[in-house]
Amino acid sequence: MAAADPIVAIRDLTKVYRQGEIDVTALDAVSLDIASGEFLALMGPSGSGKSTLLHIIAGIDRATSGECSVQGVDVARLNESELADWRNRNVGFVFQTFNLIPVLTAAENVELPLLLTGLVAAERREMVAAALDLVGLGDRARHLPRQLSGGQEQRVAIARALVTDPQLVVADEPTGNLDSRAAHDVLEILASLASRGGKTVIMVTHDPKAASFGNRSLHLEKGRLAES
Amino acid sequence: MTLGGYIYRNALRNKRRAVLTSGSVAVSLFLFLTLQVAKREMTIPPEDAGASLRIAVRNKISLANTLPARQLPAIEKLPGVVAVMPFTYFGGKFKDDDSLGFAQFAVDPGKFRQLFGEAKIPAEQFEAWRTTRDACIVGRDTAKRYGLKVGDRVTLIGTIYPVDLELKIAGIYGGTIDDTNMWFHHVYLDEAMGNWGRVGMWWMRAENAEVVPGLLTRINALFANTSSEVRAETERAFQMSFVSMWGNISFLINSICSVVVFTLALVTASTMSMTVRERFRELAILKAVGFRRHQIVACLLAESFLLASAGAVVGVGGAAWLFGSGAVKGLTGGIFPSFELTVRIASMAVLIAFVLGVFAIILPARAVTRMSVVDGLRAVD
């Protein structure tokens, strides 16, 4: 599973959760390379470990053993603060439930990660406008999340993920709460991010249709990898 | 958008809760201030300009025991004494008034200005009082309360002394820290009592502050081993001994204040815990996009401060306005003549609000710092 120019290199990655007296193995010695500009779909039944793998790659969870290197950085070696900075610069997140801040407008939600960058307000506004235009919501910048449809909310979440121009975009069931039309729009945006924008997109999904938008699909079963 | 704007909007996210939280802080701080100012009024009565020179001489046994009027010439002869005046609390009842009413004192009008020179009264009214044995002067607040005016005749029914006094109002004074009292001739009381020959106590004025300690010693020594030993003390000491009759009022009020603040701390901590619990997923997202723990805690702390500060502004501002308007004086029938909100007491309330702001966020902040992004996302999803 070696990629020519891997942005993500995973070797023997294992994650074991402790649930009371029982150890539950979520990932079992997974090895994987993901190329730059690739749109990878991670599939598998519930509890197969696909979200855990995504979280470790994105630096929001830590492996029990093994290596996970993203853009040459071994994320396991970063402390909490370094990891936070690293995520801000290198990873964009898209979640199933959009997770927009309800008291902020679409533009302000997108601007949120930029507050940590030290950019001046004018620069931030410019980048927010570009990100919203990219997802086709330039005219909804001043709308609150409750004034948007589910599909629009998810597109705002994608704009938030892109606004810091990260190389890696991770999406956990991004179409899980959307109707087929809105899901199609979101998947097209994610696909174009990889094909035209050169981003590396890793998406967890249950839906084979959604997975078909990717360049490659991987199946996880009981914490082990099976490429399809 | 700025982080400040984000914090402000978060604080007002649930407007009803924000208003109720700030309102509970405001009401509690107002209650705290009211109790603290009342305690100060009771335990440290306000002093006027002449207080440092005034000396109270009372019976050593107790304030309820009187002194012989014949002590006057002996006290007057002491070096450093400017004036000595008899001073007897009459404690009469006015009309059918069942309230605390107002205090009446029998004094020597000829010495009154030297002892209590702060009272502002037209010269002709003062002169009319000084030269008429059955005349009295009444404080402006009492005159207003009972609709009294110069020339009216009033009857005081004795409750301590077995005599009723018919008095004519010769003047109305103001400008003192307590414009509720009535002053009349001691000789009139003495006559009514059948040349009684006693006084409640003596008030005297010293030449300057330096001679006061020596005078206290000499007066006490002067009547030592007589049938009427005295205790001479400064006005402040006299007031404090008077206050001691209330019992441990400070302890009582401080206990109530502690309960108020403790209850308030629980309420605000509970509110902030709820607020943070409802936003666990959002806070996890903030962490995911790069916010550090201390940045998130700082945002929550600022939000907590904002709500506590809003309560402090309303509570302390409201108290400053109400106490400053003199309404308390009217509401309490003059029991608290000044009811002054001092900078020290107001600062205590503001400090409590700030401490509350910090206290309320301790447990939620602990939960947030311990929360991993994954756990935060799972908490709701």
Side-chain angles (χ1 to χ4, degrees):
Chain A
M1 281 182 270
D5 182 17
I7 186 173
V8 178
I10 293 169
R11 297 288 176 271
D12 296 323
L13 201 70
T14 299
K15 176 71 177 180
V16 179
Y17 290 107
R18 185 102 181 143
Q19 289 186 341
E21 296 294 305
I22 305 164
D23 285 341
V24 177
T25 303
L27 292 174
D28 188 3
V30 171
S31 293
L32 165 70
D33 283 343
I34 302 170
S36 182
E38 189 176 359
F39 183 2
L40 175 70
L42 283 174
M43 299 186 71
S46 295
S48 60
K50 54 191 187 301
S51 288
T52 302
L53 179 59
L54 190 78
H55 293 158
I56 292 171
I57 293 170
I60 58 174
D61 200 358
R62 290 185 186 273
T64 307
S65 64
E67 282 180 23
C68 176
S69 170
V70 182
Q71 288 185 296
V73 175
D74 185 354
V75 290
R77 292 183 186 277
L78 301 178
N79 65 32
E80 280 294 321
S81 295
E82 290 167 341
L83 207 50
D85 288 342
W86 178 82
R87 284 196 301 263
N88 180 251
R89 286 194 306 271
N90 297 292
V91 187
F93 290 88
V94 181
F95 298 97
Q96 181 178 351
T97 48
F98 323 139
N99 292 328
L100 300 179
I101 311 287
V103 291
L104 301 181
T105 63
E108 287 166 341
N109 266 288
V110 175
E111 191 181 356
L112 210 52
L114 294 178
L115 293 177
L116 303 168
T117 59
L119 293 170
V120 297
E123 291 173 312
R124 294 201 304 265
R125 273 198 297 273
E126 205 174 301
M127 293 174 78
V128 168
L132 282 172
D133 283 341
L134 195 68
V135 296
L137 286 176
D139 58 336
R140 300 296 174 108
R142 300 169 76 91
H143 287 224
L144 290 168
R146 67 170 182 272
Q147 296 166 324
L148 300 171
S149 67
Q152 288 170 331
E153 278 194 78
Q154 192 61 299
R155 279 150 65 191
V156 172
I158 293 172
R160 182 177 65 189
L162 296 175
V163 74
T164 54
D165 194 26
Q167 184 53 41
L168 182 65
V169 175
V170 295
D172 195 352
E173 303 271 10
T175 57
N177 281 0
L178 301 178
D179 61 36
S180 57
R181 177 60 193 265
H184 187 269
D185 291 346
V186 165
L187 290 166
E188 279 201 331
I189 291 170
L190 291 176
S192 74
L193 288 177
S195 60
R196 294 186 206 163
K199 309 286 183 198
T200 305
V201 180
I202 308 172
M203 176 179 71
V204 163
T205 183
H206 281 106
D207 182 5
K209 260 191 192 172
S212 69
F213 279 77
N215 310 119
R216 181 161 63 123
S217 293
L218 292 175
H219 278 266
L220 275 159
E221 286 277 350
K222 295 179 181 174
R224 288 178 172 275
L225 209 53
E227 194 161 355
S228 62
Chain B
M1 184 186 64
T2 60
L3 270 179
Y6 170 63
I7 291 162
Y8 175 75
R9 271 187 261 179
N10 263 335
L12 294 180
R13 177 184 291 210
N14 187 328
K15 288 189 177 61
R16 183 183 300 169
R17 184 192 293 165
V19 167
L20 289 174
T21 305
S22 292
S24 67
V25 173
V27 170
S28 302
L29 289 182
F30 181 83
L31 180 59
F32 171 85
L33 290 169
T34 305
L35 289 168
Q36 287 297 322
V37 173
K39 186 186 86 172
R40 180 178 178 275
E41 290 268 313
M42 284 188 277
T43 56
I44 310 172
E47 294 177 341
D48 57 45
S52 61
L53 300 178
R54 280 196 291 266
I55 294 172
V57 182
R58 63 182 177 89
N59 193 298
K60 192 176 179 182
I61 295 170
S62 92
L63 196 57
N65 290 56
T66 57
L67 293 168
R70 64 174 182 276
Q71 288 180 336
L72 178 62
I75 299 173
E76 280 180 325
K77 280 180 193 164
L78 290 171
V81 174
V82 173
V84 187
M85 179 178 79
F87 188 95
T88 302
Y89 174 69
F90 182 66
K93 187 179 170 188
F94 178 60
K95 290 185 175 173
D96 297 324
D97 187 18
D98 290 325
S99 71
L100 283 171
F102 54 92
Q104 313 101 32
F105 300 99
V107 294
D108 179 354
K111 304 283 176 60
F112 184 79
R113 279 219 188 273
Q114 289 172 282
L115 269 301
F116 302 103
E118 295 80 18
K120 303 283 183 297
I121 180 170
E124 68 280 6
Q125 290 184 9
F126 184 80
E127 194 55 22
W129 175 45
R130 195 181 67 79
T131 55
T132 311
R133 287 173 89 81
D134 65 344
C136 68
I137 57 172
V138 183
R140 187 170 48 200
D141 294 343
T142 294
K144 187 178 173 189
R145 180 177 172 193
Y146 294 97
L148 301 173
K149 55 187 184 303
V150 173
D152 284 357
R153 297 200 75 88
V154 295
T155 301
L156 296 179
I157 300 159
T159 57
I160 300 172
Y161 300 100
V163 290
D164 297 342
L165 298 178
E166 292 275 345
L167 295 162
K168 181 185 175 187
I169 297 173
I172 292 171
Y173 73 89
T176 69
I177 54 173
D178 183 7
D179 291 339
T180 62
N181 300 326
M182 174 183 278
W183 307 89
F184 61 93
H185 287 247
H186 204 283
V187 289
Y188 186 58
L189 173 64
D190 206 36
E191 281 176 7
M193 291 283 289
N195 292 318
W196 180 38
R198 310 287 296 181
V199 300
M201 58 186 292
W202 303 105
W203 273 101
M204 49 180 284
R205 185 185 180 92
E207 251 175 20
N208 54 56
E210 284 72 34
V211 303
V212 170
L215 267 179
L216 298 178
T217 309
R218 281 199 292 279
I219 294 166
N220 287 334
L222 190 62
F223 301 107
N225 299 315
T226 67
S227 58
S228 298
E229 291 191 78
V230 300
R231 175 183 288 176
E233 51 199 356
T234 60
E235 180 168 330
R236 161 60 65 87
F238 172 70
Q239 285 169 335
M240 294 311 290
S241 67
F242 203 80
V243 162
S244 68
M245 289 191 287
W246 289 80
N248 199 344
I249 196 82
S250 289
F251 176 77
L252 181 66
I253 289 181
N254 285 337
S255 300
I256 297 170
C257 286
S258 301
V259 171
V260 169
V261 172
F262 181 68
T263 308
L264 180 60
L266 294 182
V267 168
T268 48
S270 165
T271 303
M272 285 311 294
S273 293
M274 257 192 294
T275 301
V276 170
R277 186 173 295 277
E278 287 171 4
R279 300 216 300 260
F280 244 47
R281 186 173 56 179
E282 279 178 34
L283 297 171
I285 296 298
L286 290 184
K287 276 190 173 182
V289 301
F291 278 79
R292 297 183 184 189
R293 286 172 179 174
H294 72 266
Q295 289 170 321
I296 295 172
V297 170
C299 287
L300 293 173
L301 185 63
E303 194 178 323
S304 180
F305 263 139
L306 192 63
L307 293 173
S309 300
V313 167
V314 175
V316 178
W321 172 77
L322 187 70
F323 301 170
S325 72
V328 177
K329 187 177 174 179
L331 287 170
T332 59
I335 291 175
F336 298 114
S338 70
F339 218 74
E340 181 192 359
L341 179 59
T342 62
V343 173
R344 185 175 166 274
I345 294 175
S347 302
M348 279 168 64
V350 172
L351 182 66
I352 286 171
F354 283 148
V355 171
L356 277 175
V358 176
F359 176 80
I361 209 65
I362 288 175
L363 287 179
R366 193 161 164 261
V368 168
T369 52
R370 288 183 168 191
M371 170 194 75
S372 72
V373 177
V374 176
D375 288 341
L377 293 171
R378 276 196 197 124
V380 180
D381 284 344

